[in-house]
Amino acid sequence: MKLPEHLAPDYRFLAIIGHPITHSLSPLMHNSAFQALSLPYLYAMYDIEPDGLLKAVQDLKTLGFLGYNVTIPHKQAIIPSLDGIDENAKAIGAVNTVCILNSKAIGYNTDVLGVVRALEPFKGLFAEKPALVMGAGGAARAAVFALHTFLKVSEITIAARSKEKASSIAGDFRIRNAKIVNFARKDLNTSLAHCSLIVNTTPVGMHPLVDASPLSDDAPLKSGHVVFDLIYRPLETKLLRHAKAAGAKVVGGLEVLIQQGAAAFEMWTGKKMPVDVVRKVLEEKLKVE
Ligand code: NAP
């Protein structure tokens, strides 16, 4: 691992590590924010294979990085290599942000904060009411934890192909008011009828299969629903178009990406990320992809 070259000696460095990493929008997001605030910081990207993870964690410390993001496949695997992790990251069992201070690398999970901040403007529409989460992978864990711990929904239904994975999410977070249902049209439609917040954490509808949706065309979406799709490629999924047409409020995955990044940015720099600038840059980038 090498520092980016040709920069003034007072530059500070941040990065993302993952494998593969080429499609990450995080460098564009953070570097646009640093530029907008005229901060002498640079955010780099390192493709790190699983067997190089421990060395990368050490190198990032030695080279004087302020911190870094961690993405697939390292979010769980990195934990034993860190000097500590915060409570949320520990409860979820995944780290996506690391801060290095006094040669100590501490792990955090800002994906959860991303979900909380993206949904906060609509909280009045779903707080104390039942929510439906589709999928039971990594994004589902962050979403369910956010809904249960911070957004205070009254009950969470997890619809998943694997009932085992769904049950282990509910069990790990000790959610008493959890229901597990099949990822099947009948069960999804029944759940929609009594849930106010609908969250898609599956990749169904993601580029290139953009004509797919986790819900059937006759699913009873309505104006009282808040529909949240974690996918951001494309910016507006078939699910969100369907929900909009039914009069529901919609939130796209780009907002989570931006808000998790904003939370990390604040931890590293002590400054607020200019989210409007960043949103515009990322929307432009995703529109032409
Ligand atoms: P993951 O760990 O692989 O989990 C995917 C989940 O979706 C699993 O439960 C999987 O079920 C289920 N699934 C996959 N294909 C399905 C299908 N055809 N029908 C029903 N269920 C299906 O992936 P992840 O990391 O959670 O990511 C999931 C999505 O969230 C991706 O589209 C990703 O881009 C998005 N995401 C967005 C952000 C953001 O910042 N906006 C952050 C993270 C993730 P099985 O376990 O049965 O395979």
Side-chain angles (χ1 to χ4, degrees):
M1 189 175 274
K2 275 190 195 159
L3 279 179
E5 289 167 2
H6 312 304
L7 289 167
D10 60 345
Y11 256 73
R12 313 299 309 269
F13 296 105
L14 294 144
I16 181 163
I17 59 170
H19 179 74
I21 194 77
T22 41
H23 289 298
S24 173
L25 292 172
S26 294
L28 178 63
M29 170 164 64
H30 287 286
N31 288 325
S32 304
F34 296 146
Q35 205 176 357
L37 298 182
S38 300
L39 290 175
Y41 288 57
L42 189 97
Y43 187 105
M45 173 157 89
Y46 296 104
D47 191 326
I48 304 293
E49 294 194 21
D51 62 2
L53 181 60
L54 183 59
K55 181 170 183 322
V57 169
Q58 286 162 349
D59 284 353
L60 287 157
K61 261 191 207 176
T62 314
L63 291 169
F65 278 69
L66 278 183
Y68 50 96
N69 283 129
V70 182
T71 190
I72 289 168
H74 305 314
K75 286 186 179 188
Q76 288 93 31
I78 197 168
I79 292 174
S81 318
L82 298 173
D83 299 299
I85 60 171
D86 92 324
E87 267 178 37
N88 291 345
K90 191 171 176 187
I92 293 164
V95 161
N96 80 316
T97 298
V98 173
C99 294
I100 304 174
L101 193 63
N102 300 327
S103 293
K104 296 253 181 282
I106 309 297
Y108 298 85
N109 190 306
T110 67
D111 286 335
V112 170
L113 299 177
V115 172
V116 173
R117 290 182 183 191
L119 285 176
E120 202 106 61
F122 302 98
K123 196 175 166 185
L125 297 172
F126 63 77
E128 309 296 339
K129 293 177 183 164
L132 167 67
V133 175
M134 297 180 278
R141 286 183 77 81
V144 169
F145 187 80
L147 297 185
H148 175 63
T149 311
F150 296 106
L151 293 165
K152 308 289 179 197
V153 298
S154 63
E155 175 192 288
I156 302 178
T157 298
I158 306 176
R161 296 193 294 200
S162 157
K163 285 201 167 186
E164 270 182 11
K165 283 190 189 171
S167 301
S168 81
I169 295 180
D172 288 352
F173 303 153
R174 298 200 180 93
I175 304 177
R176 270 179 291 140
N177 294 337
K179 282 189 194 167
I180 311 301
V181 300
N182 290 318
F183 189 87
R185 179 176 162 183
K186 184 167 161 275
D187 291 41
L188 291 168
N189 286 357
T190 305
S191 303
L192 286 182
H194 79 281
C195 289
S196 296
L197 173 65
I198 318 299
V199 183
N200 177 38
T201 73
T202 77
V204 182
M206 190 168 77
H207 179 82
L209 302 176
V210 296
D211 291 329
S213 169
L215 296 181
S216 56
D217 291 345
D218 65 353
L221 286 170
K222 54 179 192 243
S223 62
H225 281 139
V226 175
V227 179
F228 176 33
D229 197 337
L230 269 89
I231 293 170
Y232 54 82
R233 281 184 170 107
L235 281 168
E236 188 173 67
T237 56
K238 182 178 179 191
L239 172 64
L240 292 188
R241 286 199 303 280
H242 181 178
K244 250 189 194 172
K249 298 277 185 255
V250 300
V251 184
L254 183 63
E255 206 49 35
V256 182
L257 180 77
I258 293 171
Q259 296 300 343
Q260 64 76 29
F265 187 95
E266 285 163 29
M267 291 161 82
W268 295 326
T269 67
K271 298 189 190 307
K272 291 256 179 236
M273 176 186 264
V275 288
D276 292 341
V277 173
V278 164
R279 191 178 294 111
K280 206 167 158 219
V281 171
L282 295 183
E283 280 177 355
E284 286 304 316
K285 164 85 179 143
L286 288 167
K287 268 185 213 156
V288 297
E289 269 190 5

